[in-house]
Amino acid sequence: MSTSTPTTAIEPISVTELGARSILDSRGFPTLEVRGTLADGTELRAAAPAGASTGEHEAVELRDGGSAFSGRGVNVAITRLDDEIAPLITGRRWSSIDEVDGALAELDGTSGYRRLGANAVVAVSILATRAFAHAAGQPLHTWISTTTGADELLPVPHFNVLNGGAHAANALDFQEFMIAPVGAATEREAVDTGAEVYHVLRALVADRFGTAGLGDEGGFAPPLADPREALDLLVEAIVEAGRRPGTDDVAIALDPAANGFSLGDGRYRVGDELSRDQLVDYYLTLLDDYPIRSLEDGFAEDDGDGWTAMGEALRRPDGSWRVQTVGDDLYVTDPARIRAGAEKGWSDAVLIKPNQIGTVSQTFAAVATARELGMAAMVSHRSGETVDTFIADLVVGTGVGQIKSGAPARGERVAKYNRLTEIELDRPGLRYGLA
Ligand code: PGA
Ligand code: ZN
């Protein structure tokens, strides 16, 4: 993760009109789409994603409550945007994204954007970022790279091909089973490899379970319970697709999302009830038996002792980690939480979700914190998505080298992967791989 000094001055923006409407997300629930017009007549838009297995400390979405859509309407958020955010944003020229985001935080006046809604705030912040890129005459990823001082890099995609936990109706305790084509030479090859393994896996799942139904992120959700059965299926699919299961070719990544199977007090249920130490041992046997390169949220967000125990088991004497250990719900893209976790030796990597922290500039700060602390980072979608592709440009422009955007199927997931291969076409020679 090398950095260079930004060379281009930021052009100011002025947004002449700003409005929002309710659209449906990939789960069929309402979310916000924001539309803005710039002084030169250009129209921009941005949409907010939504999580299902959210962290306790995430920025807070504003939802209507009541009975419609199980209380998930966004009409109150739209009214506040019309009444408060739009006059703020259209009322002046802005000279940096920090300035826009700072004004949004000040207008909101609460922690976690409870008053205006983090769903409204993140969409407006993304729209403003697009406006700055437009004003500078740069593609979004290039503007992000220039602004953050990072070198652009095409990331290794982590395709979530088997779904469990809060994202599926099966009894699988772990939430996400991903494949990562680390050995690919290009983004194109990585995306195609992911899709080919996915098709083989579909046939295996349909043959074995008589159904190839999907979970929220487009991965299959067969009636499995044991994580090992899911891992065996992945290995079989990778081999049958003609690739090598290995941390140097097609690797596996897990997001158990342990909040979902935590029983509290350091106890967990993965089939049997496990103590902290037993769960650490369980992960160690999985690392022995499968080519796993990344392990996210192996312990619950409030179980610091569990994270400490896992860190001690996974850190080698030279300080390197046996597997990339990622904090998602643990850190919620919050620079202060990331710093505290690093000091306690909890993980060597950070998941980056803009709507967890609320604004683009805070997201840049989270990436910068990870980089300063020598931690890796992975940019992530949410389980409830739209076709907005902001995170594809974000991952290239921040150069962190890793993204997860669900399965290589379903429009809201492939929109991001297709944007990555488009950037690669537009930028011949841009490097693909881990940072
Ligand atoms: P969410 O889950 O988007 O449903 O919160 C994604 C994850 O845990 O990584
Ligand atoms: Zn997660």
Side-chain angles (χ1 to χ4, degrees):
M1 290 200 214
S2 60
T3 57
S4 55
T5 310
T7 48
T8 313
I10 292 176
E11 297 290 329
I13 58 163
S14 66
V15 181
T16 55
E17 279 172 62
L18 186 72
R21 66 180 183 125
S22 175
I23 62 170
L24 294 179
D25 74 11
S26 57
R27 272 191 283 254
F29 284 116
T31 192
L32 277 160
E33 181 186 69
V34 172
R35 225 182 328 175
T37 308
L38 305 185
D40 68 0
T42 303
E43 274 211 4
L44 297 171
R45 50 183 85 191
S53 67
T54 49
E56 168 74 22
H57 302 285
E58 290 196 22
V60 183
E61 297 175 333
L62 186 57
R63 298 283 183 182
D64 294 344
S67 56
F69 282 114
S70 313
R72 299 180 61 81
V74 292
N75 295 317
V76 178
I78 290 171
T79 303
R80 294 214 176 132
L81 189 142
D82 288 343
D83 293 349
E84 298 190 51
I85 298 180
L88 170 78
I89 297 294
T90 57
R92 52 175 281 200
R93 273 156 65 90
W94 301 94
S95 51
S96 73
I97 189 65
D98 288 359
E99 193 178 53
V100 172
D101 292 344
L104 287 168
E106 196 178 318
L107 177 67
D108 181 87
T110 69
S111 70
Y113 306 99
R114 278 157 214 278
R115 206 177 63 75
L116 298 172
N119 38 357
V121 168
V122 78
V124 171
S125 182
I126 289 170
L127 185 134
T129 306
R130 291 198 162 110
F132 282 112
H134 174 79
Q138 291 178 332
L140 185 54
H141 57 91
T142 306
W143 186 85
I144 291 172
S145 146
T146 306
T147 303
T148 61
D151 292 333
E152 292 182 84
L153 178 62
L154 290 162
V156 174
H158 291 62
F159 301 103
N160 183 10
V161 292
L162 285 173
N163 295 181
H167 295 165
N170 56 19
L172 200 49
D173 293 314
F174 286 11
Q175 180 176 281
E176 301 174 20
F177 296 80
M178 293 170 273
I179 50 168
V182 278
T186 62
E187 194 75 49
R188 174 84 266 160
E189 187 191 330
V191 170
D192 291 352
T193 299
E196 279 163 17
V197 174
Y198 183 76
H199 295 307
V200 172
L201 184 63
R202 178 199 295 275
L204 289 174
V205 167
D207 181 51
R208 219 153 289 176
F209 301 98
T211 165
L214 303 180
D216 285 355
E217 296 190 350
F220 304 109
L224 290 169
D226 184 350
R228 281 180 172 272
E229 285 179 78
L231 288 161
D232 287 337
L233 260 176
L234 283 196
V235 168
E236 202 178 331
I238 294 166
V239 170
E240 214 175 288
R243 305 301 297 234
R244 197 162 35 77
T247 50
D248 56 350
D249 190 18
V250 180
I252 291 174
L254 293 178
D255 179 6
N259 283 349
F261 55 89
S262 164
L263 304 172
D265 298 325
R267 314 282 310 169
Y268 293 86
R269 181 169 299 285
V270 183
D272 302 324
E273 194 176 318
L274 303 177
S275 67
R276 282 188 185 106
D277 289 345
Q278 287 170 321
L279 185 56
V280 170
D281 288 344
Y282 181 73
Y283 289 134
L284 292 176
T285 63
L286 294 184
L287 297 182
D288 285 339
D289 295 346
Y290 300 97
I292 297 168
R293 70 166 305 271
S294 185
L295 175 62
E296 176 182 328
D297 280 359
F299 278 81
E301 65 192 4
D302 58 1
D303 187 6
D305 291 343
W307 282 92
T308 300
M310 187 164 66
E312 281 165 6
L314 294 177
R315 244 184 340 267
R316 301 195 186 93
D318 69 357
S320 67
W321 290 61
R322 196 172 150 196
V323 66
Q324 172 175 270
T325 305
V326 185
D328 169 16
D329 294 338
L330 181 68
Y331 298 139
V332 294
T333 316
D334 180 339
R337 287 182 185 279
I338 294 166
R339 200 172 287 284
E343 275 163 19
K344 292 183 175 119
W346 283 349
S347 85
D348 68 339
V350 176
L351 205 71
I352 298 291
K353 292 169 165 170
N355 81 325
Q356 264 182 339
I357 188 69
T359 63
V360 172
S361 49
Q362 288 170 290
T363 304
F364 290 165
V367 173
T369 301
R371 189 163 270 150
E372 176 205 324
L373 297 168
M375 299 168 93
M378 184 188 297
V379 167
S380 171
H381 67 155
R382 301 308 301 251
S383 53
E385 267 293 339
T386 72
V387 293
D388 192 303
T389 57
F390 178 73
I391 60 166
D393 284 78
L394 176 67
V395 70
V396 173
T398 53
V400 298
Q402 307 181 72
I403 189 172
K404 66 171 194 172
S405 178
R410 294 183 37 152
E412 77 282 4
R413 311 297 150 187
V414 298
K416 283 69 161 173
Y417 299 128
N418 288 337
R419 172 65 184 145
L420 291 173
T421 53
E422 179 181 50
I423 294 172
E424 182 168 64
L425 271 182
D426 290 347
R427 283 280 184 285
L430 189 56
R431 190 171 83 77
Y432 163 84
L434 301 169

